[in-house]
Amino acid sequence: MSKNFETDPPNADEESESRVSPVGEDVADDDKVGYRRPPKSSRFKKGQSGNPLGSSRKARMRQRQQTLPLVDLVLENSQGLVPIREGDRRSTISMKEALIRREAALAIQGSRLALKSCLDRIDKAEQRKLAEVLDHYQAYRDYQYHYPARAKACRDRDLPPPLPHPDDLHFDYNTFKLQLTGPINHEELHRLEKILEARELFLKMIEEQRADAEECAREGYPYSPKDLEVLSRLESYLKIFDNELEKRGWLPRVAGREKA
């Protein structure tokens, strides 16, 4: 029994080369860079998202938190707002305040660890507050004590007196803080002098207008509406100057010299 074997066609090698050559051309084309053909290293990989973090706000926040230093991250989270409910009232407080309240609640409920932590924190806060009050009071007393010598040195050198003036510096025994009721530099002193000059001018004009109105009333002549409008406008301008002085916390004085 004879077996028949199929022989390769005479041009089999040429046909195989013709079948392989297009693949080689495709591989060569993949290496080309040009229009709509970015380099291989920057192309999207199959099965991998080009934006793994997504485009949502939470994703951007996650990316930002990953790049923040640890200290900044802790401080930022401690200042975040937390919703709370007290009876029927809802509000928001900072994260650190919420943690302090929570620890205080645990201490009241009987947690020894929370109780010790709360007492230690209160003791340190009171000591720090006391040191701050003593520093403010000592600074106030030192300024009052040394000011005459500083003022004399300025006079001897033909310089303006130092500011603020001691009469404008007060120690509040209720809040235990220093309060300033006058200018702290000569630029503010010049501004205050201008305000007081204008205020004094408007006061004089208002007094003259009121004197004219009283004179007309005594003689039986009604005060004209136009004059009443002028008086009202002058009083409104005076209120503007008074509001400016009140906003700055300045008393009507210039470097300790009281002004009318």
Side-chain angles (χ1 to χ4, degrees), residues 136-137 139-141 143-144 164-182 249-251 253 258:
H136 287 170
Y137 184 73
Y140 167 72
R141 294 301 300 268
Y143 193 85
Q144 297 281 343
H165 192 275
D167 292 344
D168 297 331
L169 194 63
H170 311 276
F171 185 80
D172 192 334
Y173 290 93
N174 294 321
T175 62
F176 304 109
K177 293 183 179 179
L178 290 177
Q179 290 186 347
L180 186 64
T181 57
W250 291 347
L251 295 176
R253 66 178 66 202
E258 292 188 359

Side-chain angles (χ1 to χ4, degrees), residues 49-256:
S49 172
N51 187 13
L53 291 177
S55 59
S56 66
R57 180 175 177 274
K58 290 184 178 180
R60 291 194 298 271
M61 289 296 295
R62 285 197 302 270
Q63 184 179 18
R64 180 172 177 272
Q65 290 177 352
Q66 290 173 1
T67 59
L68 278 177
L70 180 60
V71 174
D72 294 339
L73 187 60
V74 171
L75 291 176
E76 183 175 295
N77 282 300
S78 68
Q79 296 170 357
L81 297 180
V82 177
I84 63 170
R85 181 174 181 176
E86 297 174 336
D88 296 334
R89 182 174 171 269
R90 294 187 178 184
S91 59
T92 56
I93 59 176
S94 65
M95 174 67 74
K96 55 185 177 183
E97 184 178 353
L99 293 175
I100 292 173
R101 289 191 180 189
R102 179 58 179 167
E103 187 179 49
L106 291 174
I108 293 173
Q109 292 173 5
S111 172
R112 289 188 176 183
L113 185 61
L115 178 62
K116 183 179 183 304
S117 178
C118 283
L119 292 177
D120 290 343
R121 182 180 291 109
I122 292 172
D123 183 57
K124 291 179 180 179
E126 288 179 346
Q127 291 180 8
R128 191 179 300 114
K129 188 66 177 179
L130 178 60
E132 182 181 343
V133 169
L134 293 176
D135 288 343
H136 287 170
Y137 184 73
Q138 189 62 41
Y140 167 72
R141 294 301 300 268
D142 290 345
Y143 193 85
Q144 297 281 343
Y145 179 78
H146 294 293
Y147 186 86
R150 294 177 56 204
K152 183 178 182 302
C154 289
R155 287 195 303 269
D156 294 342
R157 298 168 60 186
D158 293 330
L159 295 175
L163 293 175
H165 192 275
D167 292 344
D168 297 331
L169 194 63
H170 311 276
F171 185 80
D172 192 334
Y173 290 93
N174 294 321
T175 62
F176 304 109
K177 293 183 179 179
L178 290 177
Q179 290 186 347
L180 186 64
T181 57
I184 62 174
N185 53 47
H186 292 281
E187 181 181 354
E188 287 192 351
L189 174 62
H190 179 70
R191 188 180 300 117
L192 176 59
E193 289 175 339
K194 292 296 183 183
I195 292 175
L196 293 176
E197 288 176 3
R199 183 177 182 274
E200 188 174 352
L201 176 62
F202 277 97
L203 276 173
K204 188 177 296 184
M205 295 172 64
I206 289 172
E207 289 176 0
E208 292 175 355
Q209 290 288 332
R210 288 175 178 171
D212 291 342
E214 292 175 358
E215 183 68 22
C216 290
R218 283 194 301 268
E219 295 181 0
Y221 298 103
Y223 206 54
S224 66
K226 185 177 181 180
D227 292 333
L228 289 174
E229 182 181 354
V230 171
L231 179 60
S232 176
R233 189 175 302 172
L234 290 173
E235 290 175 345
S236 65
Y237 289 153
L238 179 64
K239 188 175 181 180
I240 291 175
F241 289 118
D242 290 342
N243 290 338
E244 183 69 18
L245 291 172
E246 184 178 357
K247 180 180 69 175
R248 296 179 181 273
W250 291 347
L251 295 176
R253 66 178 66 202
V254 178

Side-chain angles (χ1 to χ4, degrees), residues 33-38:
V33 178
Y35 176 67
R36 300 183 69 178
R37 287 180 176 271

Side-chain angles (χ1 to χ4, degrees), residues 10-46:
N11 296 329
D13 294 338
E14 294 180 1
E15 288 181 4
S16 63
E17 290 179 1
S18 64
R19 288 195 300 269
V20 172
S21 60
V23 177
E25 290 178 0
D26 291 342
V27 172
D29 290 342
D30 286 344
D31 295 333
K32 291 182 181 180
V33 178
Y35 176 67
R36 300 183 69 178
R37 287 180 176 271
K40 277 187 175 182
S41 59
S42 61
R43 295 179 187 178
F44 291 125
K45 295 179 176 58
K46 186 175 181 180

